[in-house]
Amino acid sequence: MRVAGTLLLMAGAGRRQKRQRGSIEELPSGSLRVTVYAGIDPVTKRRHYLREVIPPGPSTRKEADKALRRLAGLVDERRNPRTNATVDQLLDRHFELVGLERSTLATYVGYADKHIRPLIGGVQVGALDADLFDSFYAELRRCREHCDRRPYVEHRTKRPHECDARRRPHSCTSLGASTIRQIHFILSGALKRAVRWRWIATNPIVEAEPPPAPKPSPRPPTAQEAAQILAEAWKDPDWGLLVWVAMVTGLRRGELCGIRWRHVDLTGGVLALERSIGQRSAETWEKDTKTHQHRRIALDPQTVDLLREHRQRCAGRAEALGLEPAKDAFVFSLAPDGSTHLLPDSVSQRYGKLAKRLGIQTSIHKPRHYSATELIAAGVDVRTVAGRLGHGGGGTTTLRVYAAWVSESDQRAAAGLFSRMPARPANGARAEQTITEPRHPYEAVAAALRREMEAGSVTVGEQLPAIKNLAEAHGVSAATAQRAVSLLQTWGYVEVLPGRGVRVLYTDPIDTTDHLPDPASSSNGSPLGEHPRRQLFDLVIRHRGTVVARLTTELDRTNAAELREVMSAAVRRSGGDDADIGEYEMELREAGEDELVTTFVAPVSSCR
């Protein structure tokens, strides 16, 4: 009997089920609440549970069992949120540990207090998902004040005050795309820490879609505006020098305020940038540069002379007051001994007031853009510009911000190179091909008129019918007839006399090499030779006496059409309009020789 009892107990032990993890509790509404223990909350130090409520229905129990197994699996695989901490608690811990410069941290804290905490600060970190972030960004785009859509009057301050004209009804305006992106980066950095601390298993913000980065638009002052600003600033020599240095070097305002005389090498003409001045409200501090770079900027002789004069001026003021200049004096200072720096906010305000007096929309940061764009326009390579400005990434930021000016400079460089390339030889067989195989209506009309000239129907010196009559005779539009006449002029058969019509210059057939005569070389337009030899010429194209292009090419100097084609191409490449080709002249010299062979002046290029 004892043995049998023992066997029964053993059999019962074998049938005993393992204790189920978690619990399922029925609520008064009929729903089932699933609860699974998930350890100790690292934030609150309390027991942490995962919970899920299953709504009532025919399969409520079955769904609850599934939820229980799923939550238990998350705990076993350590993929569950380990805390009930909220976004507010996460941001508090994040800002305590993040290594940011003081002003940057203050900006991020301000964004969090203004936009993140009021909207999603109370949400548990484990409950964040893509849908919540999309709604969050949509609200930021709707209204930067996060109003409840009811009308109210805005006040500039919450302190007791008397309302004035600045009091106005609230109007919803979107938060800027760049600000929303900064908020996105704040949350992204905090949630990366949460993943590393194992508060959550995955970072939910990777599925969010912040607005795209806005295209940079530097908008530097024009050369004329820069001259106006400097002329006004030079009324105070110290202030004028600061604005001058800002435009020449492209320094940030904090860097300008942080320059000390030990940073300036007046002998070598070099400025060493090591420190900057930060400001937040009334608090100021000396700090590293924005990109933590110690850079050296070459100064031009005029700037060096201006700095020498400024140093003498500062020493004279200190001596007049019986003071000794500070051992580590600032270059720009209101103190007679240079012991204190300027306030960055004060520099911005003074520059803004100066620009307002002149009616110019700009800020103290724009001289930096002016310096960059002028350097790029002058052909300075992007890496050098990036080095002077203190941009990181080896020029990546410079290219992104100043892409338009780099593109413009590149186009000018390409045009300048092309203007120095040998001109393409004229296609000698094209005129003959147009006669036999015209591809366009205007070519067919030009070929028909040319055959009439060769047949003797029109003689040299006669005028062609008016454009309107030519169009009617050949059954084309006036524009097509106009193009046909222009083609005849290119071939050298006619010349256009402004206000007097079109005169025939040449009626003999041309050969397949397009060796046309120079109308200016003969009174009746006859050829000067049978087949003049082609030579290599150095060409100089002038516009009202100013050289606009130089090139070397092989051509026939007696071929008016070829000369005109080469000259027209050079005018276009130099940025001119070949419709005004009559204002240009082209000097021909044999290659390598100084003696002038001839000067070509093209006839007027269009009918009037």
Side-chain angles (χ1 to χ4, degrees), residues 452-587:
E452 291 178 9
M453 295 178 188
E454 294 171 354
S457 301
V458 182
T459 60
V460 174
E462 288 188 11
Q463 287 193 345
L464 291 180
I467 296 297
K468 180 179 179 181
N469 296 336
L470 285 175
E472 292 177 355
H474 293 272
V476 296
S477 66
T480 301
Q482 176 79 31
R483 293 190 65 183
V485 171
S486 297
L487 184 57
L488 287 173
Q489 184 181 16
T490 301
W491 290 343
Y493 274 83
V494 299
E495 69 171 340
V496 178
L497 305 174
R500 292 182 293 167
V502 181
R503 182 168 68 89
V504 177
L505 293 176
Y506 187 58
T507 60
D508 294 339
I510 64 173
D511 60 19
T512 57
T513 58
D514 245 8
H515 286 167
L516 299 182
D518 184 351
S521 65
S522 175
S523 59
N524 61 2
S526 60
L528 295 178
E530 290 294 322
H531 297 287
R533 183 171 59 86
R534 299 178 66 82
Q535 292 178 266
L536 193 64
F537 286 95
D538 291 334
L539 309 180
V540 178
I541 293 91
R542 299 179 184 273
H543 180 246
R544 297 179 179 177
T546 302
V547 176
V548 296
R550 297 177 185 269
L551 63 151
T552 300
T553 187
E554 182 182 351
L555 50 76
D556 175 8
R557 68 183 181 86
T558 64
N559 186 341
E562 185 176 3
L563 292 175
R564 180 188 177 87
E565 180 179 348
V566 171
M567 184 174 178
S568 178
V571 169
R572 289 195 300 270
R573 289 196 297 268
S574 67
D577 186 354
D578 59 357
D580 301 325
I581 198 169
E583 300 177 358
Y584 292 79
E585 60 181 20
M586 182 168 65
E587 299 174 355

Side-chain angles (χ1 to χ4, degrees), residues 56 68 94 108 126 233 245-246 252 267 282 302 331 362 364 399 456 500 519:
L68 183 64
H94 174 62
Y108 283 8
V245 172
R252 302 176 178 92
T267 303
Q302 185 176 1
V331 173
T362 186
I364 188 60
L399 281 172
R500 292 182 293 167

Side-chain angles (χ1 to χ4, degrees), residues 9 251 592:
L9 288 173
L251 299 183

Side-chain angles (χ1 to χ4, degrees), residues 398-409:
T398 311
L399 281 172
R400 177 175 58 83
V401 176
Y402 302 104
W405 280 271
V406 173
S407 175
E408 180 183 343
S409 179

